[in-house]
Amino acid sequence: MELGKYSFGLGDRFGLQGKALLQAVIEARALGVEITPVWNKSYREHLIVGSTPAETRKEADEAVQALAWKGPYFVDADHVTAKSVTFFVQYCDFFTIDVAEQIGKPPLPGRLEDFLRRNEKYLGELTISSGARFHITRAELEQIGRRYLAAIDEAEEVYRLIALHRKGAPFVLELSMDETAEPQHPVELFFLLSEVARRGIPLATIAPRFPGKLYKGVDYEGNVEDCARHFALMLETLQLAIGEFALPKTLKLSLHSGSDKFSLYGPIREALLRYDAGLHIKTAGTTWLEELAGLAEVGSDGLTAAKEVYRKAYQRLEELVTPYSAVTRIAPQKLPDPAEVDRWSEQEFLSALRNDPGNARFNADFRQLLHVAYKIPAEMGTRYTALVLKHEDTISANVTKNLLQRHIRPLFVGE
């Protein structure tokens, strides 16, 4: 299935913002940007919220129908493994295969020797289009095989399971390696794609781990120039691998935890234009944060509920953060005391929550905790959803503005 040059993963924890999210994609067209919307939700999110892939499909279909969207759209089974993929196959047509847990595991007998034999012709200098050269030794090639072959085995197994259960129905594949301790090097990407091509895994996107810190819901932490240079090298390496291994010309990089990476958007846009490259980006948790911001903004019952979510999240910090430990960094001493938050006005709550670098009251630790605290409103059940629906106009406007003005515009249009 054709994914389109630019595509956005639209995370929506509670399935209430489908139309607001799609509205941002529609308004992007007026700015000259064609984006394929992809509603994504992981097995972990479904378990925490108590939702199903059928509900995510229903949300996407109803939004498309209500807004008369005529372009392609997808529903993503996000971060699936061999253990969880069958949960999604009936309702999803986009599958993000997560191999992070398999990276570094010993390869099966004979796999490494075959890998070395097939790729030994690349030993020596590997040159990409900018003139950058990488010297590849046999020891380095062996290290790459030892690190990634088990991960590619997992990807192939999951792909075969999807194909079996889809029974000929088309789908899109993404390979995810972003939730790892170390970033992937361009040379590693090259040989990963060599193996992907050999196994016949039809990837549309690949999501590596980039250098620096891409924490949930906050700006990039690290050297922006280094990350921009790395991103450009990965684009060049991807293009080289496409030609070398006869991969689809539409294969593109994917940026996970892409929410609020404001300092990276400009350099990424420049690289995409320079190489005429596509991009898939996921901005999962910010939709739920815009729901919370909307509740705080209306005051009264909405602000009370927002404060309740924070108070309970503060009390359950370790429980909520543990599943996201690889993609969050929260300093407990920087979190405001719930008793203090209870005294905040609407604007004080919003100032602490909204990722506005120019606002001295913005608290990145506060925002990250609330980002992973969606389990709290899930436990509130209909009391939370009723409040969101009651204040739908304010909340949906926030959701659309966040996606369009803070993410799509700087990434694909410029300031």
Side-chain angles (χ1 to χ4, degrees):
M1 296 180 78
E2 283 292 325
L3 182 57
K5 187 173 185 178
Y6 302 135
S7 49
F8 242 93
L10 308 176
D12 188 8
R13 305 290 198 226
F14 300 100
L16 301 172
Q17 304 305 324
K19 288 183 287 186
L21 291 165
L22 186 57
Q23 183 63 36
V25 175
I26 291 171
E27 292 183 22
R29 280 183 164 178
L31 301 174
V33 183
E34 288 287 337
I35 294 170
T36 302
V38 181
W39 277 263
N40 60 269
K41 202 165 188 179
S42 69
Y43 186 67
R44 174 174 56 193
E45 290 172 78
H46 279 301
L47 288 182
I48 289 173
V49 172
S51 57
T52 65
E55 292 170 288
T56 308
R57 167 58 65 183
K58 183 171 183 285
E59 175 195 3
D61 290 346
E62 288 181 350
V64 164
Q65 184 176 9
L67 299 184
W69 173 256
K70 302 303 181 186
Y73 68 100
F74 296 88
V75 176
D76 178 10
D78 198 11
H79 287 282
V80 293
T81 65
K83 294 178 181 178
S84 61
V85 68
T86 55
F87 179 68
F88 293 93
V89 287
Q90 185 177 349
Y91 300 100
C92 296
D93 47 14
F94 187 121
F95 296 84
T96 297
I97 304 175
D98 189 334
V99 298
E101 291 187 1
Q102 303 303 317
I103 292 175
K105 291 189 175 181
L108 292 173
R111 284 273 203 252
L112 182 60
E113 292 74 17
D114 289 345
F115 173 78
L116 293 171
R117 187 168 53 253
R118 283 192 307 273
N119 292 289
E120 61 185 5
K121 62 183 176 179
Y122 296 108
L123 295 177
E125 296 290 335
L126 181 68
T127 304
I128 57 178
S129 58
S130 65
R133 295 181 179 183
F134 304 108
H135 185 75
I136 302 164
T137 66
R138 187 174 183 84
E140 288 168 335
L141 187 60
E142 182 174 339
Q143 184 179 29
I144 291 170
R146 291 188 184 281
R147 188 177 185 203
Y148 291 106
L149 284 172
I152 300 302
D153 283 345
E154 168 83 358
E156 183 179 17
E157 180 184 358
V158 177
Y159 160 55
R160 304 296 175 199
L161 280 171
I162 295 166
L164 176 67
H165 287 281
R166 294 285 292 172
K167 299 178 180 177
F171 56 91
V172 165
L173 278 187
E174 175 175 79
L175 182 64
S176 169
M177 304 174 291
D178 64 300
E179 294 192 6
T180 56
E182 298 295 328
Q184 281 80 43
H185 188 275
V187 170
E188 292 178 305
L189 178 66
F190 182 79
F191 288 109
L192 270 166
L193 291 174
S194 165
E195 193 67 14
V196 163
R198 190 189 73 81
R199 308 280 188 100
I201 305 170
L203 294 186
T205 82
I206 185 164
R209 163 82 156 81
F210 291 99
K213 304 297 183 183
L214 286 89
Y215 294 127
K216 294 283 187 182
V218 293
D219 203 353
Y220 175 75
E221 291 186 21
N223 187 305
V224 172
E225 289 185 3
D226 284 350
C227 188
R229 192 159 37 246
H230 188 92
F231 184 84
L233 288 173
M234 294 293 263
L235 282 179
E236 289 189 49
T237 305
L238 179 65
Q239 292 180 344
L240 176 64
I242 286 171
E244 190 73 17
F245 307 125
L247 291 161
K249 288 184 169 55
T250 53
L251 178 61
K252 59 187 181 179
L253 289 182
S254 180
L255 178 67
H256 285 197
S257 295
S259 308
D260 297 16
K261 302 304 176 286
F262 304 134
S263 59
L264 291 181
Y265 291 164
I268 287 175
R269 185 181 70 255
E270 291 172 8
L272 296 177
L273 291 172
R274 189 185 323 139
Y275 298 105
D276 190 25
L279 179 72
H280 183 62
I281 179 169
K282 293 190 177 182
T283 57
T286 53
T287 302
W288 129 250
L289 287 180
E290 288 304 317
E291 285 182 347
L292 196 65
L295 289 176
E297 186 177 339
V298 299
S300 62
D301 54 353
L303 180 60
T304 299
K307 291 176 178 178
E308 178 185 343
V309 170
Y310 177 70
R311 187 184 317 111
K312 291 179 177 178
Y314 184 90
Q315 294 165 349
R316 297 163 62 178
L317 173 66
E318 184 176 355
E319 170 197 348
L320 298 172
V321 171
T322 296
Y324 293 95
S325 58
V327 285
T328 56
R329 185 174 66 184
I330 298 172
Q333 69 274 16
K334 294 183 180 179
L335 293 170
D337 189 278
E340 176 191 347
V341 174
D342 282 341
R343 296 190 293 270
W344 283 357
S345 66
E346 297 93 330
Q347 194 54 52
E348 286 172 317
F349 195 99
L350 287 170
S351 293
L353 176 61
R354 281 248 170 87
N355 191 354
D356 178 4
N359 190 331
R361 290 187 60 90
F362 172 60
N363 186 322
D365 300 274
F366 180 78
R367 180 174 173 84
Q368 283 189 85
L369 175 56
L370 287 171
H371 193 291
V372 299
Y374 61 95
K375 186 175 186 178
I376 307 299
E379 292 170 350
M380 294 165 67
T382 55
R383 184 160 65 91
Y384 173 76
T385 54
L387 274 174
V388 172
L389 294 173
K390 177 182 176 181
H391 301 295
E392 181 177 4
D393 290 347
T394 298
I395 290 170
S396 61
N398 282 337
V399 170
T400 299
K401 179 181 178 181
N402 175 61
L403 185 60
L404 181 66
Q405 300 297 343
R406 300 191 186 108
H407 294 84
I408 292 174
R409 192 180 195 92
L411 258 172
F412 300 122
V413 180
E415 299 301 329

